[in-house]
Amino acid sequence: MKYKWFACLLCGTLAASGVLADEVGPASDPLDPVPYRLRSLRLSDRAAPLTTGTEFNPAISVIFDFTYGYFTEDLDDPAGFGMGHDHGHGHGHDHSHGIEEGFDLREVELTVTGSVDPYFDAMAMITFSDDHVEVEEAYITTRMLPGGLQIKAGKFLSDVGYINKQHPHDYLFVDQPWMREFMFGDEGLNEKGVQLSWLPPLETYTRFGIEILQGESEGIANYIGDGNHEIVTMLPDAGVPDRNRWRAGKGMREKDGPRLFTGFAKVAPNVAENHALQLGAFGGYSRVMQLEDTHSSGRLETWDGDGWFAGADVVYKYDGQGIHGHRNFVLQGEYMFRQLDLAYRSQQFESFSSLVTTDANDQRWKQDGLYVQGVYGFAPRWNAGLRLDVLGITNDGFEGRGTPTDFGTSYRYTGQITYAPTEFSRLRLQASYMDMAHGDDDDDHHDDGWMFVLQYTMSLGVHGAHDF
Amino acid sequence: MKMQVWKLLFAWLVLVNLAVAELNVVATVPNMGMLAREIGGEAVQVRVMAPPDRDAHYLEARPSMMAALRRAEIVVSVGGELEIGWLPAAIRGANNRLVQPGQPGYFEAAAQVHLIGAGRPADRALGDVHPHGNPHIYLDPERLAVAGFALAERFGELRPDEAEQFIANAQRFAERVEAEMAELRVQAEGAKGVLLYHEDADYLLKALDVPIWGYIEPLPGIPPSASHLRSLVRSLEGEQGVIWTMNFQPSNAGEFIGRELGWRAVQLPSQVSATGTVDDYFAMIQAWVDTLEQDD
């Protein structure tokens, strides 16, 4: 009985998947009298089995991203989101999608994609900015896994949410939403690791995925480890300066990766022919979240703990049936919450080789952010859009079991207008007004202000198809 | 209890599998869907991804396309990079090994026929060029007939039991094309020529031996400027012809030139409906050819 069920299932599955069809159909008959048939045979001698995407293999594209920025104020991180790098030594990270004042070459993206063999596709994106070369993404994806499964492995932008996996030239605005920048970090959730995704064979597009990641994203999984805290002081002396080296372990946890685990689900109900809707939910847990701040006094502040996040995303696209994007409309929004549980310590040198803890407490941060944006193609090749960023609707820092400190909500209002002469070139003018929360600190200088940016993006070579 | 749930699940899976015993075909554009239905007959179930009234150059990969491709056993595309802006992304997002390029479940009609304009320089200063050649073979009944045989063989690889029927269907389609084209050639004889918006009816016009006066686009994919339109009018002054614009292309430039030259400007569809038949296809071609007849 059991066996019969199974055999039946097996046959059905094999028939449906075409596995049984490995026998080739009847050979072409060279004496076929119909001229088209003869033509087909003659031509198929020279014709390749496919043409698309074979002109260059691997396909290479280069995208230039230039900006000119003008700010009315010096811009700071929104209150409550500058932890660990607030005190004068700025952003320590080496590659930012942020906008600079004046002329700036934000980056040149060099993308190489292709099929490795029948089993794998590969892509690598290298970004060049003024003084940095960085591997933005480099990963392989499987082509031949059965059952709607796919594995992606390497360094890649996580599929959580909607905008996280997009590259700067895909954004419908010059810059990324605050939510991505401050909840995940400047580069979003860009990690080394493995992703497994599954598409069930449903009428409605549905996709599930889990990711096992190294855990290096600064907003949720920043990792420092147990290095040494070291400063060198000098006392001016007659002739030879008196040099003292102060060095001691930071006392932070050492944890090998993977440290970050995420999951996502997306579903795209079939709405109507010219409408596309996709809903998503996502979340993640980071075993390690560490921050540090070094003061010129030699004092070291550290935060060491873990964190989790969860969110939802929605995208709606209307195809206006016009030419070159005319009447197309995109509405998208995402919300995300994160909680960080961190053990805080302030340490000072008590001798050249040891630190003493002068202050310690347990902190809990509950923060969230969202953005909503809409872009409309008001004429062929032209579009304009509005975006609202809200960061810190919940923006609470707890010390121990005490009452939370609310760092307040920051808002950013952005408008853009874009002209794209072809698919390969684009000019964009954007204005933002930032209404910043002032935090709990009187000397916090979170000024409200305007930001104006002109961006021109040019694409050379093969510009592959964009994902939804 | 648990056992029963499993049995139900098995039963459901078996039913699902029986239900899809027809070859699950996804076509990119409606004309390819027509061809797939014509060649596949009863043995295939065809779904079309692109709406008929849209420029297949400029579509976007949609989740609904990925859902369709997820369950497809073969994707039937025009090829020649016509769908390069969306089909690769849709296939990438479909997690289906059967329809990966290079597999039997990935079919490009353009790769089965000789393309005109192949080997042009791959320089985008010359517009949105296709170095493989002009991909708009879906408006050419003869090339579709040739591709039909290749498609029949491919369907036969996937459904060997039906292989002979597929070849017979391709044969029937080719015979129909031959008969229709003979009539259309007679009708088009002596036609004065056509000014096109884009290089998309070149195959049909060449097959009918109708001259092409030129293109409203100065370069493929580049919209005409006022000065380009004026120079077109100057160069065509005193000639006779008709202006063809596809239903998704802007009509105003063609109408302007038509007024200036006293030519008829027509705007018609280039794709059948999503469920269109071979009759619909030839009705569409016939409508184009009917416009070639001069009033004088």
Side-chain angles (χ1 to χ4, degrees):
Chain A
M1 180 63 193
K2 215 173 180 180
Y3 169 77
K4 233 159 103 185
W5 274 109
F6 185 70
C8 203
L9 172 72
L10 188 70
C11 286
T13 309
L14 289 179
S17 62
V19 172
L20 293 177
D22 55 353
E23 195 186 317
V24 177
S28 1
D29 180 358
L31 297 177
D32 202 302
V34 173
Y36 292 120
R37 183 70 194 279
L38 290 172
R39 234 185 288 181
S40 166
L41 290 174
R42 184 166 56 79
L43 289 168
S44 62
D45 288 342
R46 61 161 289 281
L50 53 134
T51 55
T52 296
T54 54
E55 184 72 3
F56 306 99
N57 197 359
I60 296 172
S61 81
V62 182
I63 296 177
F64 301 84
D65 185 358
F66 300 94
T67 54
Y68 174 80
Y70 172 75
F71 307 164
T72 58
E73 308 290 337
D74 285 338
L75 299 172
D76 292 299
D77 294 341
F81 289 86
M83 245 190 318
H85 46 73
D86 235 359
H87 293 265
H89 63 119
H91 291 252
H93 23 269
D94 48 1
H95 172 80
S96 161
H97 298 304
I99 296 171
E100 304 288 328
E101 279 199 86
F103 290 108
D104 187 33
L105 169 59
R106 277 216 294 185
E107 61 179 25
V108 175
E109 282 179 9
L110 172 67
T111 308
V112 181
T113 54
S115 304
V116 179
D117 56 25
Y119 308 106
F120 299 103
D121 286 332
M123 96 83 101
M125 178 187 277
I126 319 288
T127 56
F128 303 82
S129 52
D130 276 351
D131 48 358
H132 288 100
V133 178
E134 191 176 337
V135 180
E136 183 92 354
E137 288 195 282
Y139 61 80
I140 55 119
T141 50
T142 57
R143 293 160 61 97
M144 299 299 277
L145 286 191
L149 295 169
Q150 190 188 63
I151 289 173
K152 183 192 265 194
K155 185 182 187 206
F156 55 88
L157 288 159
S158 164
D159 255 321
V160 296
Y162 181 69
I163 205 156
N164 186 68
K165 72 159 191 283
Q166 293 189 349
H167 296 122
H169 74 264
D170 298 326
Y171 303 153
L172 299 173
F173 290 78
V174 176
D175 45 6
Q176 60 185 324
W178 267 355
M179 187 200 82
R180 183 182 190 269
E181 183 177 354
F182 290 104
M183 305 290 272
F184 286 148
D186 273 354
E187 295 183 51
L189 214 58
N190 186 351
E191 292 274 355
K192 288 161 227 154
V194 184
Q195 176 197 78
L196 175 69
S197 68
W198 178 52
L199 252 76
L202 301 174
E203 182 72 24
T204 300
Y205 174 85
T206 313
R207 181 163 178 252
F208 301 99
I210 50 168
E211 296 168 329
I212 298 169
L213 305 168
Q214 182 68 6
E216 292 172 324
S217 297
E218 54 183 337
I220 190 71
N222 202 44
Y223 182 68
I224 294 164
D226 187 27
N228 280 329
H229 174 45
E230 180 178 319
I231 55 169
V232 175
T233 57
M234 270 178 286
L235 293 172
D237 201 0
V240 188
D242 184 8
R243 202 181 67 147
N244 290 312
R245 185 193 300 276
W246 307 71
R247 180 163 58 189
K250 290 172 183 171
M252 295 174 96
R253 285 179 304 154
E254 192 73 19
K255 274 240 200 281
D256 291 338
R259 293 180 289 262
L260 179 62
F261 309 89
T262 69
F264 58 86
K266 297 169 202 279
V267 58
N270 298 316
V271 196
E273 181 144 288
N274 295 317
H275 305 259
L277 177 69
Q278 181 177 283
L279 309 166
F282 59 91
Y285 170 69
S286 175
R287 298 202 289 156
V288 181
M289 173 66 183
Q290 296 176 332
L291 297 165
E292 66 178 335
D293 200 356
T294 315
H295 298 258
S296 50
S297 63
R299 185 162 76 96
L300 174 71
E301 288 183 285
T302 59
W303 292 261
D304 189 354
D306 58 13
W308 62 269
F309 65 90
D313 56 284
V314 55
V315 190
Y316 164 76
K317 290 190 188 184
Y318 170 67
D319 183 338
Q321 306 154 64
I323 51 161
H324 302 294
H326 190 200
R327 292 189 299 270
N328 284 3
F329 179 62
V330 181
L331 183 66
Q332 74 188 63
E334 287 180 72
Y335 169 83
M336 187 185 143
F337 175 88
R338 78 172 178 197
Q339 178 171 314
L340 307 175
D341 285 298
L342 305 171
Y344 168 79
R345 266 207 296 179
S346 175
Q347 301 175 88
Q348 258 164 336
F349 281 105
E350 58 173 0
S351 70
F352 287 132
S353 60
S354 68
L355 286 160
V356 62
T357 302
T358 54
D359 189 13
N361 57 51
D362 288 332
Q363 296 185 358
R364 168 169 287 184
W365 289 83
K366 288 184 172 183
Q367 297 175 307
D368 62 1
L370 66 83
Y371 75 91
V372 181
Q373 66 185 40
V375 175
Y376 178 68
F378 64 89
R381 298 164 200 282
W382 286 86
N383 68 64
L386 294 171
R387 178 179 67 189
L388 168 69
D389 283 286
V390 187
L391 200 62
I393 310 157
T394 305
N395 194 358
D396 293 337
F398 296 76
E399 251 183 47
R401 290 159 166 267
T403 45
T405 306
D406 185 353
F407 287 82
T409 310
S410 296
Y411 299 88
R412 181 171 68 175
Y413 311 93
T414 308
Q416 66 88 353
I417 181 163
T418 301
Y419 172 63
T422 65
E423 297 164 84
F424 309 104
S425 59
R426 185 173 71 204
L427 281 161
R428 180 172 284 158
L429 185 64
Q430 175 174 308
S432 306
Y433 179 74
M434 272 143 282
D435 177 6
M436 307 293 257
H438 293 262
D440 65 330
D441 209 348
D442 285 341
D443 62 356
D444 259 355
H445 43 99
H446 297 105
D447 292 321
D448 299 346
W450 286 91
M451 185 166 105
F452 301 94
V453 196
L454 178 67
Q455 179 197 33
Y456 36 119
T457 312
M458 308 283 149
S459 146
L460 280 180
V462 181
H463 192 181
H466 277 280
D467 300 320
F468 180 76
Chain B
M1 179 60 203
K2 206 170 183 186
M3 196 59 205
Q4 292 221 317
V5 172
W6 279 113
K7 276 183 185 171
L8 275 173
L9 188 67
F10 275 16
W12 178 75
L13 279 170
V14 168
L15 281 175
V16 165
N17 282 321
L18 288 177
V20 296
E22 292 170 322
L23 186 68
N24 187 331
V25 180
V26 170
T28 56
V29 297
N31 290 1
M32 296 314 295
M34 180 279 297
L35 184 67
R37 267 190 301 273
E38 208 48 37
I39 305 303
E42 301 280 292
V44 300
Q45 195 188 25
V46 179
R47 180 139 161 191
V48 175
M49 289 189 282
D53 55 350
R54 220 60 56 74
D55 189 342
H57 282 297
Y58 299 111
L59 288 173
E60 227 188 333
R62 292 284 163 107
S64 58
M65 296 173 180
M66 297 171 196
L69 287 170
R70 165 67 180 87
R71 288 165 299 140
E73 289 167 81
I74 182 167
V75 57
V76 177
S77 71
V78 176
E81 303 201 334
L82 181 75
E83 302 104 332
I84 197 164
W86 53 282
L87 184 60
I91 290 176
R92 229 176 14 242
N95 286 19
N96 182 353
R97 59 181 173 162
L98 302 177
V99 298
Q100 296 290 334
Q103 295 300 309
Y106 180 85
F107 181 84
E108 283 189 359
Q112 318 301 327
V113 297
H114 185 78
L115 299 183
I116 55 178
R120 274 195 256 175
D123 183 349
R124 290 224 182 90
L126 304 173
D128 190 4
V129 292
H130 297 279
H132 292 292
N134 185 327
H136 300 278
I137 59 159
Y138 53 85
L139 265 187
D140 179 4
E142 293 186 321
R143 278 184 172 74
L144 282 193
V146 174
F149 281 104
L151 185 59
E153 279 172 30
R154 197 66 74 80
F155 281 174
E157 280 180 45
L158 301 174
R159 286 287 187 278
D161 291 347
E162 308 279 345
E164 276 173 44
Q165 186 59 47
F166 294 141
I167 298 288
N169 292 346
Q171 187 108 5
R172 199 190 56 214
F173 179 72
E175 280 161 14
R176 171 84 187 261
V177 167
E178 199 157 28
E180 296 273 358
M181 287 305 283
E183 278 181 41
L184 290 169
R185 275 200 190 89
V186 171
Q187 193 188 344
E189 214 163 295
K192 295 289 189 292
V194 175
L195 176 67
L196 289 171
Y197 186 87
H198 181 72
E199 301 177 347
D200 42 18
D202 291 32
Y203 287 107
L204 179 63
L205 292 170
K206 281 191 161 62
L208 299 175
D209 207 17
V210 174
I212 297 169
W213 282 118
Y215 307 95
I216 294 177
E217 288 180 329
L219 294 167
I222 305 293
S225 61
S227 65
H228 176 71
L229 293 183
R230 276 195 299 275
S231 78
L232 266 179
V233 168
R234 263 198 308 279
S235 67
L236 295 175
E237 213 125 54
E239 305 287 356
Q240 280 185 321
V242 59
I243 300 159
W244 281 9
T245 305
M246 303 297 147
N247 57 350
F248 50 79
Q249 291 161 351
S251 60
N252 47 5
E255 284 160 6
F256 167 78
I257 294 178
R259 271 196 308 276
E260 294 291 309
L261 293 174
W263 291 14
R264 190 170 163 213
V266 293
Q267 193 174 27
L268 288 168
S270 63
Q271 301 280 349
V272 295
S273 75
T275 55
T277 63
V278 64
D279 293 334
D280 299 329
Y281 181 71
F282 279 107
M284 181 179 76
I285 300 286
Q286 184 68 55
W288 284 109
V289 174
D290 285 345
T291 69
L292 293 173
E293 282 166 23
Q294 300 292 316
D295 303 327
D296 57 6

